[in-house]
Amino acid sequence: MDVIAVKNLSKAFGGLMVLQDISFTVAQGEVVAIIGPSGSGKSTLLRLICHLETADSGDITVAGQPMLCGGVYAPPEVLRRACLKVGLVFQNFNLFPHFSVIRNITEAQMRVLGRTRDEAESRARSLLSKMGLPDKETAYPCRLSGGQQQRVSIARALALDPEVLFFDEPTSALDPELTGEILRVIRNLAREKMTMVIVTHEMAFAREVADRVFFMDGGVFVEEGPAAEVIDNPRTDRTRAFLRRLNG
């Protein structure tokens, strides 16, 4: 079953075409990595599927819920149901600085899902334990390391029980020493068959964890295939040049 189905998706900002006729699917339990240079449209693609930006044309279906059909968005209630199927982990954490850790994780559960405080806090504590942060529920973001803040943001996304989780460069704002914390969490989610789409520059990680890799440049998919195949033996000159530059 395809959890994500995108067809002929396009987006321009002013006169600049950022995405051009993008089509792809993500199966349930699959991990897809999207790689490519800065400005290639990777983050915009995630934001369109999460409805943080609006598309100009194309189709988007999430877990069987149509969000966009022929460039026309679904009615608000249908769109809301589709948006609840996805979670997004930002590169800069985006935690509420004036909320404690546990409130960062419970607030949306109560407001969006209608859970009681006890239900929301029980779910939050379970996820904090899973993230290796059982003792941080009363802490505030400013008292946490970058790696800890990112693990809280992952817990917050998971608390809404999405069917697919998007990561937008989840380690780019971290010191190299803290990157491993986040990659371990994502590895564990992959073992649990969480459907994920990960925008990343961590090639060794993408090769290890992803089922498929898409190389994106200039708003289009230049190449896609099994992770090891694309990263170790790219077919196109453009992909080879990108990987050579990334690897020094």
Side-chain angles (χ1 to χ4, degrees), residues 92 211 234:
N92 292 316
D211 299 296

Side-chain angles (χ1 to χ4, degrees), residues 24-66:
F24 73 108
T25 60
V26 181
Q28 188 170 23
E30 187 177 25
V31 179
V32 168
I34 302 177
I35 64 173
S38 297
S40 59
K42 305 182 303 296
S43 296
T44 299
L45 177 59
L46 298 194
R47 292 176 66 85
L48 287 174
I49 300 172
C50 294
H51 197 49
L52 298 177
E53 301 280 359
T54 55
D56 296 329
S57 60
D59 301 343
I60 303 173
T61 302
V62 179
Q65 295 283 345

Side-chain angles (χ1 to χ4, degrees), residues 58-197:
D59 301 343
I60 303 173
T61 302
V62 179
Q65 295 283 345
M67 293 179 64
L68 179 72
C69 185
V72 178
Y73 279 94
E77 186 53 36
V78 176
L79 189 58
R80 178 182 180 276
R81 288 198 300 270
C83 289
L84 285 175
K85 303 290 186 180
V86 300
L88 175 61
V89 177
F90 300 89
Q91 56 183 313
N92 292 316
F93 323 137
N94 283 20
L95 298 175
F96 294 109
H98 57 297
F99 285 0
S100 66
V101 163
I102 197 163
R103 190 175 175 191
N104 264 285
I105 302 172
T106 58
E107 192 75 9
Q109 292 186 70
M110 294 186 291
R111 289 180 178 271
V112 177
L113 299 183
R115 288 176 179 160
T116 66
R117 183 173 300 278
D118 285 346
E119 290 170 336
E121 289 184 350
S122 176
R123 176 70 170 140
R125 291 188 178 107
S126 174
L127 287 167
L128 285 172
S129 180
K130 184 174 184 174
M131 296 296 128
L133 300 170
D135 58 338
K136 299 298 184 183
E137 66 175 73
T138 60
Y140 284 80
C142 64
R143 298 295 184 183
L144 303 178
S145 71
Q148 290 171 332
Q149 289 186 62
Q150 190 62 296
R151 280 182 280 163
V152 173
S153 70
I154 295 171
R156 179 179 60 182
L158 289 170
L160 297 180
D161 301 327
E163 294 201 24
V164 58
L165 197 55
F166 293 89
F167 291 87
D168 187 7
E169 295 282 6
T171 62
S172 66
L174 301 178
D175 295 333
E177 291 181 350
L178 300 177
T179 295
E181 298 178 11
I182 305 308
L183 300 186
R184 279 193 296 274
V185 169
I186 298 174
R187 282 189 191 96
N188 289 336
L189 291 172
R191 292 189 192 104
E192 296 170 6
K193 297 299 181 183
M194 180 77 200
T195 308
M196 293 183 285
V197 178

